[in-house]
Amino acid sequence: LLSLHAAVATAETAAALATRAMAECDQGQDATARDARKLHFERGEALAKQALALDERNADAHFAMVCNLGEMLRLDGEKITSVFGLRRLLNEVDRTLELDPDHVGAMATKGNLLMRLPRMFGGDEREGERLLREVVRRDDRAVTSRITLAKTCVARGDREEARQLAARALQIATEQGRADKAAEARATLDELGAPR
């Protein structure tokens, strides 16, 4: 009984740390100053590490690590600065999905990575697109997945679907106050010559 109680207490603590780690990632995304963003992501990564030390099977702790690692890699723009960091990120994404195959955030991250960097991860763009379409189906607020799918549609000439995806992404990003994502959606609409 005592060992069961200790396991429950540990899981609760790991869950609380994972929640705090995600909150740091969210605050970092909202921050405007680079140093403030970096500080939030570093704190978030540290909290996720603590959560995983307590409960390695906590999918949300693994995804909190994904969020903070991914944002640290994007801190100075979406440059590929660290193959090791990207591999570590994908390992965390895969572990999240191993523990929770329906984790929408992990599906979105993996789908975006496969679409943007298919050769680096030995995946194919079709699997990335499949994952992103599943995310869009499940999460009406998924901005990045819609933008990536819109760009994919533009590339293959499916202008109407691209327009619909980008317009919805712009609407969501505007509602969420995500200026960076709104700008990406606008750029896609501008490329299509679509009214906003």
Side-chain angles (χ1 to χ4, degrees):
L1 185 62
L2 284 175
S3 115
L4 177 61
H5 179 68
V8 169
T10 298
E12 289 172 349
T13 303
L17 288 166
T19 299
R20 287 177 47 208
M22 277 306 299
E24 287 291 344
C25 190
D26 292 341
Q27 290 169 7
Q29 290 171 340
D30 292 341
T32 54
R34 182 193 183 282
D35 289 345
R37 291 171 57 81
K38 184 177 183 205
L39 185 60
H40 282 294
F41 302 141
E42 288 172 342
R43 276 191 238 152
E45 183 179 349
L47 288 165
K49 280 182 186 176
Q50 289 175 344
L52 290 169
L54 291 172
D55 183 5
E56 197 283 326
R57 297 191 52 78
N58 185 309
D60 290 332
H62 281 282
F63 189 69
M65 183 67 76
V66 167
C67 185
N68 286 287
L69 285 175
E71 291 298 333
M72 281 296 288
L73 288 171
R74 288 177 0 111
L75 196 57
D76 293 317
E78 296 210 10
K79 300 173 188 161
I80 307 309
T81 56
S82 168
V83 172
F84 173 75
L86 286 167
R87 292 256 178 237
R88 184 172 168 219
L89 179 68
L90 189 61
N91 287 339
E92 289 294 338
V93 169
D94 287 341
R95 183 65 175 140
T96 303
L97 288 170
E98 179 184 322
L99 295 168
D100 180 1
D102 294 324
H103 196 289
V104 175
M107 286 191 307
T109 302
K110 185 165 186 173
N112 274 292
L113 286 171
L114 289 173
M115 294 294 289
R116 293 177 181 194
L117 308 165
R119 286 182 213 95
M120 179 171 274
F121 296 114
D124 78 54
E125 292 178 47
R126 288 176 301 202
E127 175 62 8
E129 184 173 347
R130 184 195 69 75
L131 285 168
L132 293 180
R133 287 191 181 282
E134 183 63 20
V135 169
V136 166
R137 187 183 71 76
R138 291 180 185 206
D139 183 0
D140 191 47
R141 312 299 294 163
V143 176
T144 304
S145 296
R146 280 180 172 78
I147 292 169
T148 302
L149 284 172
K151 290 176 181 178
T152 300
C153 290
V154 168
R156 74 170 163 242
D158 189 348
R159 298 175 64 78
E160 184 53 37
E161 185 178 8
R163 190 175 293 110
Q164 290 172 8
L165 287 162
R168 178 67 180 131
L170 177 58
Q171 178 186 8
I172 296 165
T174 302
E175 289 168 3
Q176 293 176 349
R178 297 286 309 273
D180 59 333
K181 297 300 176 185
E184 272 190 85
R186 272 190 209 96
T188 302
L189 288 169
D190 288 346
E191 185 177 341
L192 291 163
R196 293 186 246 148

